[in-house]
Amino acid sequence: MQLNLSKPICFFDLETTGINISKDRIVEISILKVFPDGKEVAKTWVVNPEMPIPAEVTAIHGISDADVADKPTFKELSKEIYNLIKDSDLGGFNSNRFDIPLLAEELLRAEVDFDMKNTQSVDVQTIFHKMEQRTLVAAYKFYCNKNLEDAHSAEADTKATYEVLKAQLDRYENLENDTKFLAEFSSRKKFADFAGFLVFNKEGEECFSFGKHKGKRVLDVLEKEPGYFGWLLNADFPLYTKKVLTAIKLRQFNNKLD
Protein backbone atom coordinates (compact mmCIF):
# COMPACT_ATOMS: atom_id res chain seq x y z
CA MET A 1 0.00 0.00 0.00
CA GLN A 2 1.34 3.42 -0.95
CA LEU A 3 1.48 5.96 1.86
CA ASN A 4 -1.09 8.75 1.72
CA LEU A 5 1.17 11.77 2.20
CA SER A 6 0.49 15.50 2.27
CA LYS A 7 4.24 16.22 2.48
CA PRO A 8 7.37 14.09 2.13
CA ILE A 9 8.43 11.74 4.91
CA CYS A 10 12.05 10.79 5.60
CA PHE A 11 12.61 7.34 7.03
CA PHE A 12 16.06 7.20 8.57
CA ASP A 13 18.35 5.11 10.71
CA LEU A 14 21.55 5.86 12.58
CA GLU A 15 24.61 3.86 13.50
CA THR A 16 26.43 5.52 16.36
CA THR A 17 29.33 5.32 18.79
CA GLY A 18 26.93 4.36 21.59
CA ILE A 19 23.52 5.09 23.11
CA ASN A 20 24.19 8.24 25.16
CA ILE A 21 22.17 10.90 23.37
CA SER A 22 24.19 13.87 24.61
CA LYS A 23 27.67 12.34 24.30
CA ASP A 24 27.67 9.77 21.50
CA ARG A 25 27.98 10.58 17.80
CA ILE A 26 26.68 9.37 14.45
CA VAL A 27 28.98 7.16 12.35
CA GLU A 28 26.46 6.37 9.62
CA ILE A 29 23.12 7.86 8.61
CA SER A 30 20.81 6.55 5.94
CA ILE A 31 17.73 8.45 4.75
CA LEU A 32 14.95 7.30 2.46
CA LYS A 33 12.79 10.26 1.43
CA VAL A 34 9.36 9.34 0.13
CA PHE A 35 7.35 11.99 -1.72
CA PRO A 36 3.54 12.26 -1.95
CA ASP A 37 3.66 11.05 -5.57
CA GLY A 38 5.52 7.89 -4.54
CA LYS A 39 8.95 9.03 -5.73
CA GLU A 40 11.82 7.87 -3.50
CA VAL A 41 15.27 9.35 -2.91
CA ALA A 42 17.83 7.41 -0.85
CA LYS A 43 21.09 8.70 0.56
CA THR A 44 23.64 7.21 2.98
CA TRP A 45 26.65 8.89 4.58
CA VAL A 46 29.48 7.39 6.61
CA VAL A 47 30.52 9.98 9.19
CA ASN A 48 33.72 10.69 11.11
CA PRO A 49 32.42 11.00 14.70
CA GLU A 50 35.61 12.75 15.90
CA MET A 51 35.83 10.26 18.76
CA PRO A 52 36.89 6.61 19.08
CA ILE A 53 34.31 3.96 18.26
CA PRO A 54 34.29 1.39 21.10
CA ALA A 55 35.21 -2.13 20.01
CA GLU A 56 31.97 -3.56 21.41
CA VAL A 57 29.99 -1.11 19.28
CA THR A 58 32.02 -1.92 16.15
CA ALA A 59 31.17 -5.57 16.80
CA ILE A 60 27.48 -4.65 16.42
CA HIS A 61 27.45 -2.43 13.32
CA GLY A 62 30.83 -3.30 11.78
CA ILE A 63 32.08 0.28 11.43
CA SER A 64 35.58 0.83 12.82
CA ASP A 65 37.82 3.84 13.42
CA ALA A 66 39.68 2.99 10.20
CA ASP A 67 36.40 3.06 8.23
CA VAL A 68 35.63 6.64 9.27
CA ALA A 69 39.14 8.11 9.38
CA ASP A 70 38.88 9.88 6.00
CA LYS A 71 35.14 10.56 6.08
CA PRO A 72 33.54 14.01 6.58
CA THR A 73 32.39 15.10 10.02
CA PHE A 74 28.71 15.54 10.78
CA LYS A 75 29.16 19.30 10.86
CA GLU A 76 30.50 19.17 7.31
CA LEU A 77 27.46 17.14 6.23
CA SER A 78 24.88 18.89 8.40
CA LYS A 79 23.51 21.34 5.84
CA GLU A 80 23.14 18.65 3.18
CA ILE A 81 21.35 16.36 5.63
CA TYR A 82 19.13 19.15 6.96
CA ASN A 83 18.20 20.30 3.46
CA LEU A 84 17.02 16.78 2.70
CA ILE A 85 14.77 16.48 5.78
CA LYS A 86 13.68 20.04 6.55
CA ASP A 87 10.43 19.92 4.54
CA SER A 88 9.54 16.41 5.68
CA ASP A 89 8.00 14.41 8.46
CA LEU A 90 10.24 11.74 10.01
CA GLY A 91 9.90 7.97 10.36
CA GLY A 92 11.99 5.23 11.93
CA PHE A 93 12.12 2.21 14.22
CA ASN A 94 12.45 3.32 17.84
CA SER A 95 13.13 6.74 16.33
CA ASN A 96 11.17 8.76 18.89
CA ARG A 97 13.33 7.51 21.75
CA PHE A 98 16.73 7.35 20.07
CA ASP A 99 17.30 8.33 16.44
CA ILE A 100 15.45 11.67 16.44
CA PRO A 101 16.91 12.83 19.78
CA LEU A 102 20.45 11.97 18.69
CA LEU A 103 19.99 13.54 15.25
CA ALA A 104 18.64 16.67 16.93
CA GLU A 105 21.75 16.82 19.14
CA GLU A 106 24.08 16.52 16.17
CA LEU A 107 22.23 19.21 14.19
CA LEU A 108 22.11 21.64 17.11
CA ARG A 109 25.78 20.96 17.82
CA ALA A 110 26.47 21.85 14.18
CA GLU A 111 24.55 25.12 14.72
CA VAL A 112 21.58 24.03 12.60
CA ASP A 113 18.35 25.26 14.23
CA PHE A 114 16.49 21.95 14.17
CA ASP A 115 12.98 21.94 15.62
CA MET A 116 10.16 19.38 15.63
CA LYS A 117 7.27 21.80 16.16
CA ASN A 118 5.89 21.41 12.64
CA THR A 119 7.14 17.88 12.04
CA GLN A 120 5.26 14.65 12.58
CA SER A 121 7.23 11.58 13.69
CA VAL A 122 6.11 8.03 12.90
CA ASP A 123 7.74 5.38 15.09
CA VAL A 124 7.17 2.00 13.45
CA GLN A 125 8.31 0.15 16.58
CA THR A 126 5.56 1.77 18.64
CA ILE A 127 2.97 0.80 16.02
CA PHE A 128 4.30 -2.76 16.13
CA HIS A 129 4.03 -2.92 19.91
CA LYS A 130 0.51 -1.49 19.92
CA MET A 131 -0.85 -3.62 17.10
CA GLU A 132 0.61 -7.02 17.93
CA GLN A 133 -0.93 -8.92 20.79
CA ARG A 134 0.38 -7.82 24.15
CA THR A 135 -2.08 -9.68 26.35
CA LEU A 136 -1.33 -11.75 29.43
CA VAL A 137 -2.27 -14.88 27.44
CA ALA A 138 0.36 -14.04 24.81
CA ALA A 139 2.99 -13.16 27.45
CA TYR A 140 2.35 -16.39 29.37
CA LYS A 141 2.79 -18.43 26.19
CA PHE A 142 5.91 -16.50 25.10
CA TYR A 143 7.77 -16.41 28.41
CA CYS A 144 6.53 -19.54 30.15
CA ASN A 145 5.54 -21.65 27.12
CA LYS A 146 2.24 -22.48 28.79
CA ASN A 147 -1.36 -21.98 27.76
CA LEU A 148 -3.29 -19.82 30.19
CA GLU A 149 -6.31 -21.84 31.25
CA ASP A 150 -9.22 -19.88 32.73
CA ALA A 151 -7.93 -16.59 31.33
CA HIS A 152 -9.66 -13.55 32.81
CA SER A 153 -10.34 -15.32 36.07
CA ALA A 154 -8.64 -13.28 38.77
CA GLU A 155 -6.81 -16.21 40.34
CA ALA A 156 -5.38 -17.59 37.09
CA ASP A 157 -4.37 -14.14 35.80
CA THR A 158 -2.69 -13.26 39.11
CA LYS A 159 -0.62 -16.44 39.17
CA ALA A 160 0.31 -16.07 35.49
CA THR A 161 1.41 -12.46 35.98
CA TYR A 162 3.74 -13.52 38.80
CA GLU A 163 5.19 -16.36 36.70
CA VAL A 164 5.72 -14.07 33.70
CA LEU A 165 7.68 -11.56 35.79
CA LYS A 166 9.94 -14.30 37.15
CA ALA A 167 10.49 -15.61 33.61
CA GLN A 168 11.34 -12.09 32.40
CA LEU A 169 13.97 -11.77 35.14
CA ASP A 170 15.45 -15.12 34.05
CA ARG A 171 15.45 -14.14 30.38
CA TYR A 172 16.81 -10.56 30.48
CA GLU A 173 20.14 -9.99 32.20
CA ASN A 174 19.72 -6.21 32.21
CA LEU A 175 16.57 -6.42 34.34
CA GLU A 176 17.45 -5.93 37.99
CA ASN A 177 15.66 -8.10 40.51
CA ASP A 178 14.62 -5.03 42.48
CA THR A 179 11.10 -3.66 42.85
CA LYS A 180 12.11 0.00 42.59
CA PHE A 181 14.08 -0.68 39.40
CA LEU A 182 11.24 -2.71 37.89
CA ALA A 183 8.70 -0.02 38.78
CA GLU A 184 10.75 2.68 37.09
CA PHE A 185 11.59 0.44 34.13
CA SER A 186 7.93 -0.36 33.50
CA SER A 187 6.61 3.18 33.83
CA ARG A 188 5.68 5.26 30.80
CA LYS A 189 5.67 9.03 30.89
CA LYS A 190 5.13 11.64 28.23
CA PHE A 191 8.34 13.59 27.77
CA ALA A 192 8.55 17.33 27.09
CA ASP A 193 12.04 16.84 25.71
CA PHE A 194 13.49 13.83 23.92
CA ALA A 195 15.72 12.50 26.69
CA GLY A 196 13.12 12.37 29.47
CA PHE A 197 14.57 15.03 31.77
CA LEU A 198 11.33 17.02 31.38
CA VAL A 199 7.95 15.34 31.58
CA PHE A 200 4.35 16.50 31.44
CA ASN A 201 2.10 16.23 34.49
CA LYS A 202 -1.60 15.41 34.28
CA GLU A 203 -2.36 19.04 33.49
CA GLY A 204 0.08 19.05 30.55
CA GLU A 205 2.62 21.25 32.36
CA GLU A 206 6.38 20.67 32.08
CA CYS A 207 7.98 19.20 35.21
CA PHE A 208 11.48 18.06 36.12
CA SER A 209 11.94 14.29 36.26
CA PHE A 210 15.27 14.26 38.09
CA GLY A 211 17.29 15.76 40.91
CA LYS A 212 16.20 17.89 43.82
CA HIS A 213 13.28 19.37 41.87
CA LYS A 214 11.89 16.06 40.62
CA GLY A 215 8.12 16.34 40.16
CA LYS A 216 8.07 20.14 40.41
CA ARG A 217 6.80 22.40 37.64
CA VAL A 218 9.62 23.92 35.60
CA LEU A 219 7.95 27.34 35.69
CA ASP A 220 7.75 27.28 39.50
CA VAL A 221 11.41 26.31 39.87
CA LEU A 222 12.61 28.96 37.42
CA GLU A 223 10.53 31.55 39.25
CA LYS A 224 11.79 30.68 42.74
CA GLU A 225 15.35 29.72 41.84
CA PRO A 226 16.47 31.73 38.77
CA GLY A 227 20.08 30.54 39.09
CA TYR A 228 19.01 26.95 38.44
CA PHE A 229 18.31 27.81 34.80
CA GLY A 230 21.89 28.99 34.31
CA TRP A 231 23.20 25.84 35.95
CA LEU A 232 21.11 23.66 33.64
CA LEU A 233 22.37 25.44 30.53
CA ASN A 234 25.99 24.96 31.60
CA ALA A 235 25.58 21.35 32.77
CA ASP A 236 25.93 18.21 30.65
CA PHE A 237 22.35 17.96 29.39
CA PRO A 238 21.27 17.29 25.79
CA LEU A 239 21.08 20.38 23.63
CA TYR A 240 17.43 19.76 22.79
CA THR A 241 16.59 19.64 26.50
CA LYS A 242 18.29 23.03 26.89
CA LYS A 243 16.35 24.31 23.87
CA VAL A 244 13.04 23.29 25.49
CA LEU A 245 14.07 24.87 28.80
CA THR A 246 14.96 28.11 27.02
CA ALA A 247 11.56 28.13 25.31
CA ILE A 248 9.86 27.68 28.72
CA LYS A 249 11.97 30.50 30.16
CA LEU A 250 11.02 32.80 27.27
CA ARG A 251 7.37 31.87 27.72
CA GLN A 252 7.65 32.80 31.39
CA PHE A 253 9.22 36.16 30.47
CA ASN A 254 6.57 36.94 27.86
CA ASN A 255 3.79 36.07 30.33
CA LYS A 256 5.21 38.62 32.76
CA LEU A 257 5.15 41.27 30.04
CA ASP A 258 1.50 40.51 29.37
Side-chain angles (χ1 to χ4, degrees):
M1 179 182 291
Q2 184 169 314
L3 291 179
N4 182 17
L5 303 174
S6 58
K7 63 189 281 192
I9 182 169
C10 285
F11 294 94
F12 77 103
D13 186 67
L14 307 177
E15 303 299 342
T16 66
T17 60
I19 58 173
N20 186 310
I21 291 169
S22 59
K23 293 182 178 179
D24 281 304
R25 301 290 189 269
I26 294 171
V27 297
E28 185 177 52
I29 175 170
S30 185
I31 299 175
L32 173 64
K33 186 170 185 175
V34 182
F35 292 84
D37 63 1
K39 176 185 172 184
E40 298 177 2
V41 173
K43 183 76 176 176
T44 298
W45 298 266
V46 177
V47 184
N48 186 334
E50 302 181 274
M51 65 180 291
I53 304 172
E56 61 271 23
V57 178
T58 295
I60 295 171
H61 55 50
I63 302 172
S64 67
D65 290 336
D67 296 324
V68 301
D70 61 347
K71 300 302 180 184
T73 65
F74 187 88
K75 187 167 186 176
E76 291 170 330
L77 295 168
S78 58
K79 288 182 180 172
E80 183 182 0
I81 292 170
Y82 181 66
N83 285 337
L84 186 61
I85 69 172
K86 66 181 181 181
D87 63 341
S88 306
D89 291 324
L90 296 175
F93 196 86
N94 194 34
S95 48
N96 286 350
R97 293 189 175 205
F98 181 72
D99 298 83
I100 291 176
L102 203 147
L103 178 62
E105 288 299 294
E106 289 277 35
L107 286 169
L108 292 171
R109 198 179 292 118
E111 300 179 345
V112 175
D113 189 20
F114 177 76
D115 202 298
M116 289 287 293
K117 275 191 292 190
N118 298 313
T119 303
Q120 301 294 329
S121 60
V122 178
D123 193 324
V124 176
Q125 184 190 65
T126 300
I127 295 173
F128 167 51
H129 288 170
K130 287 188 174 182
M131 294 303 294
E132 287 304 307
Q133 194 178 30
R134 289 293 183 270
T135 63
L136 179 57
V137 172
Y140 196 56
K141 181 66 175 176
F142 180 80
Y143 288 107
C144 304
N145 197 27
K146 298 177 184 177
N147 293 318
L148 181 53
E149 306 295 340
D150 298 320
H152 302 300
S153 73
E155 183 176 343
D157 287 0
T158 300
K159 185 172 183 249
T161 301
Y162 174 51
E163 289 187 33
V164 166
L165 178 58
K166 290 190 293 182
Q168 287 174 327
L169 288 167
D170 286 336
R171 181 181 288 258
Y172 304 120
E173 292 183 0
N174 60 322
L175 283 184
E176 295 179 21
N177 198 348
D178 174 80
T179 304
K180 185 174 185 295
F181 172 88
L182 293 171
E184 292 176 352
F185 186 86
S186 59
S187 67
R188 286 179 177 266
K189 293 182 180 179
K190 188 177 180 183
F191 300 144
D193 63 340
F194 288 130
F197 291 108
L198 307 174
V199 297
F200 291 108
N201 62 16
K202 293 179 180 179
E203 289 72 39
E205 302 164 315
E206 300 95 342
C207 296
F208 289 107
S209 67
F210 67 96
K212 63 179 182 179
H213 294 305
K214 184 175 182 178
K216 296 179 183 177
R217 293 198 321 155
V218 174
L219 283 173
D220 292 338
V221 173
L222 297 184
E223 179 73 28
K224 296 175 183 176
E225 195 176 330
Y228 194 59
F229 177 71
W231 177 81
L232 289 167
L233 292 188
N234 290 312
D236 187 22
F237 289 101
L239 295 175
Y240 203 89
T241 300
K242 295 178 182 180
K243 183 182 175 79
V244 173
L245 283 167
T246 301
I248 297 170
K249 181 72 172 177
L250 288 173
R251 192 171 75 218
Q252 178 191 50
F253 178 75
N254 290 332
N255 288 341
K256 287 182 178 179
L257 292 180
D258 295 339

